[in-house]
Amino acid sequence: MNGSTVYRQSGDWKLRGGPAGLHVFHRNTGLNVLIDEIFVPTALHARAPRQVSIALSNRCDLSCAHCYAPKFRGELRFDSVTQWLAELDAAGTLGVGFGGGEPTLHPDFMELCQYAAHETQLSVSFTTHGHHVDAEMADHLRGSIHFIRVSMDGVGLTYESIRRRSFAQLLVRLKDVGTISRFGVNVVVNEHTLPELDEVARVSADAGACELLLLPQMPLRSVLAASADTLQGLRRWVEGYKGPLKLCINESSAEGFPTCDPLVQEGGLRAYAHIDATGVLKPSSYADTGVQLGDGDVLLALAQLEHDLEENDK
Ligand code: SF4
């Protein structure tokens, strides 16, 4: 099979060559197929990360204690984001996830989603607290979004004590979310939310979610990391879960959990990168090391970041 055949693609299907073989991805269904019988020469490996998250804005109208979004002002320009998306798409990235802060507060949020869905072959997702997703926004986003992640830390009073928003109102918002695209629920796991995971999973499934992303709490000035007991309890819960939701966990917390990663050979910056709301490219949203992006220079910045990370490791 020659190079031009490896990269031929059309419509919502996208092909990506890498060390594990040929990765076939369908953005509407989220279907991933790895054809590992096909050897892809190194020169044809995708140069961009498989998945990129972009914090469109640091702004948020909630103030959750566990929030790790920076509290200084930062908001990306439409033109910069669209140039980066075009470059990433051409270099083999499969999906972009918009976040923040609260991405729906960015003044060009809907236009950016529409650009990404219709001018690129990227799968488009966003992470939201959900309280601004109404029928009007849903009408604008339908057809331009492939997946939505909604934060739900516990149910009822637990949720309300963390988010200071009505839980009943969130459930109403989930109805609009479900008219846009497939969606999942993110839950920050700590000693308060762990006992409510059964209920979070039940409510999420009833609302139409297909996935539950478990996020053990990270340490910040205002909160402690999820304790060893909490992580132990979470492992037990995962082992015992028999419901319909697909369970996922963030990579940094995955140790000790039964996970499946068919693309282990494609780690680091080939797997994932983050662009923060000031345009700094990083290996993750928590990382200190980063490279400031200009307009349309993502691949150069990736090479620089790879070099800087290698130097730091020496
Ligand atoms: S909703 Fe998200 S971005 Fe906003 S304060 Fe809470 S955790 Fe932070």
Side-chain angles (χ1 to χ4, degrees):
M1 182 172 283
N2 64 31
S4 61
T5 306
V6 168
Y7 287 106
R8 190 171 297 154
Q9 51 204 10
S10 66
D12 293 316
W13 291 95
K14 191 161 183 182
L15 306 182
R16 175 181 164 96
L22 183 63
H23 183 166
V24 183
F25 175 64
H26 187 250
R27 65 179 183 173
N28 284 343
T29 57
L31 177 72
N32 286 275
V33 179
L34 177 66
I35 308 176
D36 58 4
E37 294 90 346
I38 294 178
F39 169 75
V40 181
T42 308
L44 294 176
H45 291 182
R47 295 165 61 207
R50 221 165 42 237
Q51 180 75 24
V52 175
S53 63
I54 302 182
L56 294 179
S57 170
N58 284 342
R59 269 198 287 165
C60 186
D61 49 344
L62 271 59
S63 47
C64 313
H66 63 257
C67 180
Y68 62 82
K71 299 304 166 216
F72 51 83
R73 279 179 73 87
E75 196 149 272
L76 296 174
R77 289 188 302 114
F78 178 89
D79 289 350
S80 302
V81 177
T82 52
Q83 287 192 34
W84 299 333
L85 292 177
E87 197 179 346
L88 289 164
D89 182 41
T93 294
L94 298 181
V96 61
F98 293 128
E102 173 54 40
T104 59
L105 294 179
H106 189 286
D108 302 320
F109 171 67
M110 289 188 275
E111 291 75 11
L112 283 167
C113 293
Q114 286 158 356
Y115 174 89
H118 302 295
E119 301 299 326
T120 78
Q121 288 188 305
L122 296 166
S123 161
V124 187
S125 64
F126 69 97
T127 300
T128 176
H129 60 49
H131 288 281
H132 299 301
V133 183
D134 56 14
E136 189 183 345
M137 182 179 282
D139 286 345
H140 282 99
L141 289 179
R142 207 168 296 118
S144 301
I145 296 290
H146 303 97
F147 200 80
I148 301 175
R149 299 188 178 283
V150 183
S151 304
M152 184 199 291
D153 310 314
V155 294
L157 292 178
T158 305
Y159 174 90
E160 292 178 355
S161 70
I162 293 171
R163 298 270 165 181
R164 307 213 180 276
R165 285 291 188 279
S166 154
F167 185 67
Q169 194 58 39
L170 176 72
L171 297 185
V172 172
R173 294 302 185 205
L174 287 184
K175 292 200 173 94
D176 289 321
V177 167
T179 69
I180 302 172
S181 70
R182 294 178 302 121
F183 72 98
V185 164
N186 293 359
V187 53
V188 172
V189 182
N190 57 31
E191 72 273 26
H192 304 297
T193 58
L194 178 66
E196 300 193 352
L197 282 182
D198 279 336
E199 196 57 7
V200 169
R202 187 191 64 74
V203 168
S204 302
D206 286 353
C210 59
E211 185 180 298
L212 190 64
L213 174 59
L214 302 163
L215 301 166
Q217 186 164 283
M218 303 291 281
L220 284 172
R221 255 179 314 174
S222 45
V223 294
L224 298 172
S227 67
D229 282 353
T230 298
L231 291 175
Q232 183 66 24
L234 180 58
R235 278 186 211 105
R236 277 199 299 271
W237 186 83
V238 167
E239 281 160 16
Y241 180 68
K242 299 275 188 287
L245 299 178
K246 179 170 94 173
L247 300 184
C248 303
I249 191 161
N250 55 335
E251 197 179 342
S252 56
S253 308
E255 201 179 322
F257 286 86
T259 55
C260 162
D261 181 3
L263 295 166
V264 279
Q265 294 156 285
E266 195 184 62
L269 288 174
R270 292 296 165 105
Y272 171 76
H274 175 75
I275 300 174
D276 76 12
T278 62
V280 175
L281 179 75
K282 299 172 160 188
S284 77
S285 53
Y286 300 107
D288 295 327
T289 309
V291 172
Q292 182 70 52
L293 288 167
D295 288 338
D297 64 356
V298 184
L299 294 185
L300 274 178
L302 273 166
Q304 178 66 48
L305 182 57
E306 205 160 12
H307 173 267
D308 292 353
L309 292 169
E310 281 168 11
E311 288 297 306
N312 288 352
D313 283 347
K314 282 183 183 165

